[in-house]
Amino acid sequence: MKGEQKMSQLMEITVGQLLDKMAEKYPDKDAVVYPLDNVRYSYREFNDICDKVARGFIKMGIKKGDHVAIWAPNYPQWLITQFATAKIGAVMVTVNTNYKVFELEYLLKQSDSTTLILTDGFKDSNYIQHIYKLCPELKSCKPGQLNSPEFPFLKNIIYIGDKKWEGMYNWDDLYTMAEDIDQKQLDDIKKTLDIHDVINMQYTSGTTGFPKGVMLTHYNIVNNGNLIADCMKLGPKDRLCIPVPFFHCFGCVLGIMACVTKGATIVSVKYFKPEWVMEAIQRERCTGVHGVPTMFIAILEHPDFDKYDFSSLRTGIMAGSTCPEKVMSAVIHKMGASEITIAYGQTESSPVMTQTRTDDPIELRVSTVGRPHPHVEVKIVDPETGKDLPPGVPGEIVTRGYHIMKGYYKMKEATAEVIDEEGWLHTGDIGEMTEDGYFKVTGRLKDMIIRGGENIYPREIEEFLYTHPAVKDVQVVGVPSRIYGEEVLACIILKEGASATEEEIIEYTKKGLSRFKAPKYVKFVDRYPLTASGKVQKYKIREQMIKELGLEDETEESV
């Protein structure tokens, strides 16, 4: 743990003050670059445009504490919104780019958003159609005067683009409106803000029940970003490529906030395409890149991989799901990111609680999720009794510190279920701590398979099956059994040109692990259901496989 004393102390500064400070310190340095869109802002230029949009928001009637939702891929306007809302104390509500009309309706109602900023759409979701379906009144009202019985809080719809839509402002209208508000009025508002004000609201993916709005403060995300950057040894000379979604903590905290706390450069693309990311890294000489394992695999397996120059790469973060050792090795040796780190956390913890360091050996970067950040407590407890567990004994991961959310918006009971009276956040993740203080995540409490009284951790089986020469990716879930309670199912993506049979996989597992850990079922698939941020949705795999295998009756018997 040498060098840990160099880690930063907690910063008592708002998001807006942070950007102001960096604009003074590094006025002419690149802050934001979109190499494929010919967009480039210095820190001074970026701060000025964020101030201008903040003044436009004031003119529009947006006040401190109001909720402003943004529904867009990684556009420059997304970045501007994050800092412009923070400068006036409005709460930015991030909207999943894959949402359809039903999901948007829930979020807008639950979040009490007064403003929605949107683009045309993303993939197969047409945002314009969705908002007109939810708010038909938009077609007959003036911009800023929406009066919807279904959405009593919602007044402003702001469209990012050149087209004109009935009832909506255009993004450029904010620049015009800003002219009516002087800088002093904005500066006076900045003085009223508190570091512990909620500034960011992100909705959990809702794998159980409806999504919950996680309330995060200036203090949460500024400090988490700063400590993440410390673990990466990020500095003002670094240029970080951020292709992960901004709406997720991975983008807006591990990426954006980590850069701004150090005066590093944000290099982005509007959404992930492997060739776009490779082009951005090469053209801007990026020193870091973020991604989930599936993104790195897509880059490494791209037919044009060898045509790009990755020699500038040094660091970055791989997170979101388990990192196979072969992928980590390829990122280090083929892409040159020798100091890439692994981070672990969840939105409720701002999000990172543990992270590997740049000098950790590759074995630790694939077998653990690192050590706790400074100023953060992490421990393993018995999920039944709540008692602390010693190293090497699996239990629930809990954490406490500055990084814990204020709570779920308008959900006091749900908040109390995850944050106990002593301030510990219960992650619902199963893991263990090594003797050296590193943490391993072995699965979710609900992912743990209990077969005939034996606890089986999917991660262990997955890691073993990665050693099979034909296996490209694997996800292990439990499916119901009236005899054993649950059976193991392995859902496998094979390498291109490779073949394997169900029997071969089962026998291979039996030879390498205890027989009770061998899958009863093996399914070969082309892809997994993913969240927009690239996480595999295991509960969807389970539901799908129960149907395919005709195990619905087993479900009823095993309840």
Side-chain angles (χ1 to χ4, degrees):
M1 298 192 188
K2 58 185 179 181
E4 203 77 339
Q5 70 274 10
K6 295 180 183 177
M7 285 283 183
S8 302
Q9 293 303 305
L10 292 177
M11 301 168 71
E12 298 195 353
I13 192 171
T14 67
V15 170
Q17 288 169 337
L18 175 68
L19 185 58
D20 289 342
K21 177 182 174 183
M22 290 300 154
E24 288 180 15
K25 194 171 183 180
Y26 306 109
D28 300 317
K29 189 180 173 304
D30 283 345
V32 175
V33 180
Y34 281 75
L36 278 63
D37 299 285
N38 200 27
V39 172
R40 190 177 300 269
Y41 297 123
S42 68
Y43 264 97
R44 180 196 290 118
E45 290 167 337
F46 184 61
N47 192 45
D48 287 348
I49 201 169
C50 291
D51 273 358
K52 187 176 242 186
V53 170
R55 299 201 313 270
F57 285 153
I58 295 169
K59 176 66 176 177
M60 198 173 281
I62 298 171
K63 302 181 296 297
K64 177 181 174 180
D66 283 352
H67 291 182
V68 177
I70 180 159
W71 195 21
N74 292 8
Y75 282 39
Q77 292 89 341
W78 206 108
L79 280 165
I80 295 166
T81 298
Q82 179 170 356
F83 289 92
T85 50
K87 283 171 177 282
I88 62 171
V91 179
M92 183 178 70
V93 180
T94 66
V95 186
N96 188 315
T97 51
N98 286 332
Y99 270 11
K100 300 291 176 62
V101 67
F102 175 77
E103 297 154 313
L104 179 68
E105 178 181 15
Y106 169 80
L107 180 142
L108 289 176
K109 285 181 176 177
Q110 207 282 329
S111 67
D112 300 329
S113 290
T114 67
T115 302
L116 174 65
I117 302 169
L118 48 65
T119 56
D120 289 299
F122 185 66
K123 294 184 177 176
D124 63 344
S125 189
N126 186 314
Y127 298 175
I128 305 297
Q129 284 182 6
H130 294 334
I131 194 63
Y132 277 136
K133 183 174 183 179
L134 291 177
C135 301
E137 303 86 358
L138 255 184
K139 293 195 172 181
S140 58
C141 78
K142 291 181 179 179
Q145 296 181 17
L146 176 62
N147 187 9
S148 169
E150 291 293 312
F151 305 93
F153 287 87
L154 191 60
K155 299 300 173 190
N156 309 305
I157 309 294
I158 305 172
Y159 168 70
I160 300 172
D162 297 327
K163 299 173 196 167
K164 295 287 184 183
W165 296 101
E166 293 163 314
M168 300 186 201
Y169 289 110
N170 277 59
W171 178 265
D172 286 351
D173 292 336
L174 288 164
Y175 301 136
T176 306
M177 297 168 87
E179 301 304 321
D180 293 337
I181 305 293
D182 63 28
Q183 186 66 28
K184 183 180 183 303
Q185 192 171 339
L186 172 59
D187 291 340
D188 287 344
I189 291 171
K190 289 180 185 178
K191 292 171 186 173
T192 71
L193 307 183
D194 187 274
I195 58 171
H196 298 295
D197 291 336
V198 174
I199 203 64
N200 184 292
M201 201 153 86
Q202 303 188 34
Y203 277 77
T204 58
S205 37
T207 51
T208 55
F210 284 103
K212 305 171 185 70
V214 176
M215 297 186 290
L216 301 177
T217 66
H218 296 275
Y219 196 60
N220 287 149
I221 67 172
V222 166
N223 284 298
N224 207 245
N226 193 43
L227 292 165
I228 288 163
D230 282 344
C231 287
M232 297 165 61
K233 293 184 180 172
L234 207 66
K237 293 182 180 178
D238 282 300
R239 304 172 74 81
L240 180 65
C241 185
I242 311 174
V244 293
F246 288 167
F247 74 79
H248 189 276
C249 263
F250 200 167
C252 72
V253 182
L254 284 78
I256 297 166
M257 294 308 302
C259 282
V260 176
T261 58
K262 302 300 183 185
T265 301
I266 296 163
V267 178
S268 193
V269 290
K270 288 181 176 175
Y271 53 89
F272 176 77
K273 275 191 177 182
E275 58 270 28
W276 288 0
V277 176
M278 293 189 290
E279 179 68 27
I281 291 170
Q282 175 176 276
R283 198 184 295 186
E284 292 300 319
R285 304 296 295 156
C286 291
T287 58
V289 59
H290 284 358
V292 296
T294 51
M295 288 180 173
F296 284 106
I297 290 169
I299 291 169
L300 290 160
E301 295 189 351
H302 195 278
D304 292 335
F305 176 82
D306 291 332
K307 296 178 182 177
Y308 290 91
D309 179 5
F310 299 100
S311 60
S312 59
L313 280 182
R314 173 185 67 82
T315 189
I317 295 175
M318 195 183 304
S321 57
T322 304
C323 171
E325 184 169 355
K326 287 181 181 177
V327 177
M328 175 61 79
S329 181
V331 170
I332 289 172
H333 299 296
K334 290 184 179 180
M335 292 182 70
S338 59
E339 297 183 1
I340 195 161
T341 67
I342 295 287
Y344 162 71
Q346 54 187 209
T347 309
E348 291 88 340
S349 59
S350 302
V352 175
M353 60 185 87
T354 68
Q355 191 172 353
T356 60
R357 307 315 198 249
T358 57
D359 56 356
D360 279 333
I362 187 171
E363 296 77 30
L364 283 174
R365 285 186 260 183
V366 294
S367 65
T368 79
V369 290
R371 306 194 305 271
H373 275 181
H375 315 291
V376 167
E377 295 177 84
V378 186
K379 64 180 182 177
I380 305 292
V381 300
D382 185 311
E384 296 296 325
T385 65
K387 291 182 178 178
D388 293 6
L389 293 172
V393 179
E396 185 180 14
I397 302 170
V398 298
T399 184
R400 183 170 67 178
Y402 78 89
H403 59 312
I404 303 303
M405 66 173 177
K406 272 276 182 89
Y408 296 123
Y409 184 62
K410 297 193 305 189
M411 292 185 176
K412 287 186 178 179
E413 288 184 8
T415 302
E417 286 175 9
V418 297
I419 301 177
D420 65 26
E421 292 178 355
E422 295 181 347
W424 291 96
L425 172 72
H426 290 251
T427 66
D429 286 334
I430 295 291
E432 60 185 73
M433 185 176 72
T434 69
E435 293 285 352
D436 295 329
Y438 286 77
F439 282 78
K440 296 181 178 183
V441 181
T442 51
R444 291 282 296 168
L445 270 173
K446 61 177 178 289
D447 283 345
M448 186 175 71
I449 301 165
I450 304 177
R451 182 187 183 277
E454 292 278 2
N455 288 357
I456 300 172
Y457 299 97
R459 170 78 184 267
E460 181 184 13
I461 303 170
E462 288 164 359
E463 283 297 314
F464 175 74
L465 285 175
Y466 276 124
T467 65
H468 190 287
V471 173
K472 176 180 176 181
D473 206 349
V474 56
Q475 297 292 327
V476 170
V477 298
V479 292
S481 163
R482 70 181 71 177
I483 297 174
Y484 293 106
E486 285 185 293
E487 288 282 7
V488 176
L489 180 145
C491 199
I492 291 172
I493 298 175
L494 293 173
K495 292 178 181 173
E496 191 172 346
S499 63
T501 64
E502 295 175 22
E503 292 75 19
E504 180 185 340
I505 296 294
I506 293 167
E507 286 305 311
Y508 184 80
T509 313
K510 285 179 179 177
K511 287 178 182 177
L513 297 174
S514 301
R515 291 182 68 87
F516 70 84
K517 295 178 182 176
K520 179 175 180 179
Y521 306 102
V522 175
K523 284 284 185 178
F524 298 104
V525 298
D526 295 322
R527 65 182 67 87
Y528 301 126
L530 303 174
T531 66
S533 54
K535 288 186 179 180
V536 176
Q537 294 175 302
K538 283 198 170 184
Y539 76 102
K540 283 194 176 180
I541 294 176
R542 186 175 187 272
E543 290 171 355
Q544 185 180 329
M545 291 302 149
I546 287 171
K547 286 181 182 177
E548 284 191 22
L549 293 167
L551 299 176
E552 290 90 349
D553 291 343
E554 303 274 340
T555 308
E556 293 170 4
E557 290 285 335
S558 62
V559 169

